[in-house]
Each structure stands twice: as C-alpha cells, then as structure tokens.
Amino acid sequence: MYEGERKSRLNEILYALSDTTRLRILNILAHSEQNVSSLVKLIQESQPKVSRHLAYLKNVGLIEARNQAQKRIYSIKADVFEKYPFLKALICDLAKVEIFANDLKLLYSAT
C-alpha cells in the first residue's frame, strides 16, 4: 500500500468514527456480533439508517458480514484492532460515556 493510500484509508476510518451512530454500532459489535434487527432494537434507530451505517463501516473495512440462515450477521473484522490499536482504546473508553454504556446494558440484558 502506498503512503497516499494509507492516508486516504485513515481519513476514511476517522470519518467513520466521527458519527455517533457508527460509534454505537462499533461499540456493540466489539462486544457481540449482531444482525440488523438486533442493532435497530438496541440503538433505537430506523432499519434503513442502521443499514446505511453498517454499509459504510463495511466499506471502510472495519466490520464484516456473514450469512446465517436468513440473516446477515455483522462483526468487527478480526484484524481491525491489530491494524488500528487506537480503535481498541477508543472502544474501551466509550463504555464510560452514558449513551454507549446504556447500549451495552441493553445488549447484556437482552442475552
């Protein structure tokens, strides 16, 4: 990868992290893989909005999806925290912020 490509990728990732809904999704997926309908319930946003954000996160390479029966299951890509160590630190710190902590409470109360 060329230096310009690396900078461009980092810009895309930082832009992805600039949106609260995308951060909420990443926070949840860092703790448990989810399908779209589960994410919609957890963050209480519309299905089209959640799907758009999932597509963006997938396009920048932060998450991946697999098919399971009739659903697509989303998870953080296995190498993301290796490639971007700052992201792991960010996810850990998000749990200290009320909105993200509440998402995790809902996640764990649903399981």
Side-chain angles (χ1 to χ4, degrees):
M1 186 182 299
Y2 295 107
E3 186 64 28
E5 291 174 7
R6 221 174 304 171
K7 284 181 181 177
S8 176
R9 173 64 69 192
L10 183 58
N11 287 342
E12 290 173 349
I13 289 168
L14 291 173
Y15 183 78
L17 300 177
S18 72
D19 182 89
T20 302
T21 301
R22 288 193 289 268
L23 281 174
R24 291 176 74 190
I25 291 169
L26 284 173
N27 182 48
I28 292 166
L29 294 181
H31 292 88
S32 173
E33 57 184 24
Q34 299 291 318
N35 63 43
V36 176
S37 60
S38 295
L39 287 166
V40 165
K41 289 176 189 172
L42 287 167
I43 64 174
Q44 299 177 353
E45 295 285 354
S46 70
Q47 185 273 325
K49 182 176 184 178
V50 170
S51 292
R52 274 194 313 274
H53 286 297
L54 286 167
Y56 190 91
L57 292 168
K58 189 170 181 279
N59 287 338
V60 299
L62 295 178
I63 66 171
E64 59 190 358
R66 64 180 168 77
N67 293 326
Q68 182 179 347
Q70 300 297 322
K71 296 181 179 181
R72 294 199 37 91
I73 307 298
Y74 293 88
S75 60
I76 302 254
K77 287 183 81 173
D79 64 347
V80 161
F81 294 132
E82 265 181 51
K83 284 183 178 178
Y84 311 106
F86 70 89
L87 188 56
K88 187 173 186 175
L90 174 65
I91 296 291
C92 288
D93 283 346
L94 288 179
K96 300 173 188 172
V97 178
E98 185 176 3
I99 190 169
F100 301 103
N102 288 340
D103 290 341
L104 295 180
K105 284 179 192 172
L106 285 172
L107 172 66
Y108 290 120
S109 70
T111 57

